[in-house]
Amino acid sequence: MTAPRKGARRRDSEVTRLLPRPLLAVLLTVLLVFVLVPVVYVLSASLNSDAAVARGDFLPTEFTTTNYAKIWTTVALGSGLVNSVLVAGSVALVCAFLSVSTAYVLVRFAFRGKLTILRLLLALQSIPGTLLLLPVFVLFSSASTYVGIQVVGTRWGLFITYLTFALPFSTWVMVTYLRGLPRELEEAARIDGASSWRILTRIVVPLSWPGIVVSGIFAFLLGWNDVLFASIMTTPDSRTAAVALQVFGATSEGGALPVYGQMMAASLVCAVPVVVLYLVFQRYLVGGLTAGGVK
């Protein structure tokens, strides 16, 4: 069998291309402009003085890094970042490994009510979080009265809140991923005498790293970006970085000169962990998000 010629491969790629090359180049350029222009403005404003940013200068006349030094005392960003990392990181780790074990049971075992559980997990995703804000707060605040356990204002109370919302979605991601794994590997291990727990830890988990990373990152982003629940479930000591930014923005607007430069610097500092997370786990994200799409 002769290999296809270079011209034939090029024609095939042109036929399968969704858009013509010039139109694709224009579309990508427009998308890059929409994405990069706000990022460049935030970066330039963080290196500019507050007066220059208030005047509307897009590029700084003189670069200064004082904004990055002031935010640690003005915003108290350090404690907020620590709380966000602790809460969102613990939610990501627990949610990732709970979802893979739950999805393994739902995919590989047959029992009464399995389809109902899957439908309930899907139905939970359609409920807006704003509708559950008041019930969750009332439930957790009443725990100190009836049970004697203080939940509101603690990190672990915020952890339970985020885990409640992140676990159904992460379980659905892992259910989709585990359905694409071959059953033959597990059957061969079971013939050799491996238990279900050993199959899960030695076969399923190592093969499911892309899906685990995707579910963990989405759970991390839920805890990192949330302002609604964190604003009512935390105190100044347990306040997350997102709430610290919101409070800083609200208080600075009342001043004679809003500290826009510090606000931009604080926003960039809070965005760095998420960018690093995506860069580190990029190859796992591509495999996990496309899993189950092609059978």
Side-chain angles (χ1 to χ4, degrees), residues 227-271:
V227 179
L228 188 64
F229 285 91
S231 60
I232 67 168
M233 295 289 296
T234 59
T235 59
D237 294 332
S238 59
R239 182 179 293 166
T240 60
V243 179
L245 286 178
Q246 182 195 35
V247 173
F248 178 54
T251 54
S252 63
E253 289 293 337
L257 179 63
V259 285
Y260 290 129
Q262 295 184 44
M263 292 173 61
M264 300 299 180
S267 300
L268 283 178
V269 171
C270 292

Side-chain angles (χ1 to χ4, degrees), residues 112-140:
R112 186 184 299 274
K114 182 176 75 171
L115 186 59
T116 303
I117 294 175
L118 290 173
R119 289 173 177 173
L120 287 176
L121 289 176
L122 183 61
L124 287 174
Q125 302 303 311
S126 61
I127 301 177
T130 53
L131 295 180
L132 300 177
L133 180 63
L134 184 59
V136 169
F137 177 76
V138 172
L139 178 65
F140 285 172

